Amino acid sequence: MQIEKTPLIDVLMITPPRFGDHRGFFSESWNKSKFEQAGVHLPEFVQDNHSLSSEVGTVRGLHFQSPPHAQGKLVRCGRGKIYDVAVDVRKGSPSFGKWFGAELSFENGVQLWIPGGFLHGFMTLEPDSEIIYKCTDHYAPECDGAVKWDSCGIDWPLDGITPAISEKDDKAQTLAAFDSPFTYSA
């Protein structure tokens, strides 16, 4: 298993091995004991989510779930390709307000671990992209929130693409106006 630290404290890029032949491949995208043997100790997962975005340029996010139902997410792309982004919004964090983005695709098998205390969002780079992610807490609508996707200085790979954004995400607060409910603890 390949584990890479990112410039954001606690955010990891994880690439499980694939075993293949002329028929295709097999990969364990999540195996608690193998992750722990590799030095990655993640919280318990209680919910799996799966979404499909049909258009190239679909942007979802930047979303968070506030305490007491903050969610960590282990994100992968089951089909297609996305640009996945995390933004540190933990007050007192050395990387507060900074972002990290990575291309996740069916082809590369890369996963991104995003703990609670981070905004999360993605943009589709291929049509009919499917995103599958494990969550450390259940969805709690009273804790659901968003920060405007273009207010954090993220270098989205727009290259002539007009983003498709939901009304909720388009009307989200800016990062500058966001009073984060998260606190960093070393």
Side-chain angles (χ1 to χ4, degrees):
M1 179 176 319
Q2 182 179 341
I3 301 163
E4 299 173 59
K5 292 184 177 182
T6 70
L8 300 183
I9 299 165
D10 301 324
V11 174
L12 299 173
M13 286 180 53
I14 303 167
T15 309
R18 288 181 173 178
F19 305 96
D21 59 25
H22 67 282
R23 302 166 296 160
F25 72 85
F26 171 83
S27 179
E28 289 182 334
S29 59
W30 167 247
N31 180 318
K32 182 178 179 179
S33 63
K34 287 186 179 176
F35 271 57
E36 288 179 351
Q37 289 170 7
V40 178
H41 301 275
L42 301 181
E44 177 185 9
F45 293 111
V46 299
Q47 179 177 314
D48 281 8
N49 296 337
H50 184 162
S51 76
L52 169 72
S53 296
S54 55
E55 292 180 48
V56 170
T58 298
V59 174
R60 296 184 189 262
L62 300 163
H63 299 150
F64 68 92
Q65 202 165 274
S66 62
H69 296 290
Q71 287 182 326
K73 298 174 181 176
L74 181 61
V75 183
R76 65 188 174 94
C77 184
R79 176 172 62 168
K81 187 187 308 181
I82 65 170
Y83 187 69
D84 205 53
V85 176
V87 180
D88 190 347
V89 291
R90 300 170 297 170
K91 290 178 179 174
S93 169
S95 58
F96 180 85
K98 294 189 169 125
W99 64 274
F100 174 77
E103 189 176 282
L104 310 184
S105 70
F106 169 79
E107 292 297 324
N108 69 21
V110 174
Q111 300 179 80
L112 199 60
W113 163 244
I114 304 168
F118 289 78
L119 305 175
H120 173 248
F122 63 86
M123 180 179 137
T124 57
L125 302 176
E126 290 183 359
D128 297 322
S129 290
E130 294 185 16
I131 295 78
I132 302 162
Y133 55 102
K134 303 181 94 44
C135 299
T136 60
D137 205 326
H138 297 100
Y139 174 68
E142 70 278 10
C143 297
D144 185 44
V147 170
K148 197 161 171 65
W149 69 281
D150 61 354
S151 71
C152 300
I154 297 167
D155 188 16
W156 295 98
L158 294 171
D159 298 332
I161 297 170
T162 301
I165 302 162
S166 72
E167 184 177 345
K168 171 191 165 191
D169 289 349
D170 194 43
K171 292 184 177 183
Q173 63 193 316
T174 63
L175 181 62
F178 178 52
D179 183 18
S180 178
F182 302 102
T183 304
Y184 174 74
S185 61

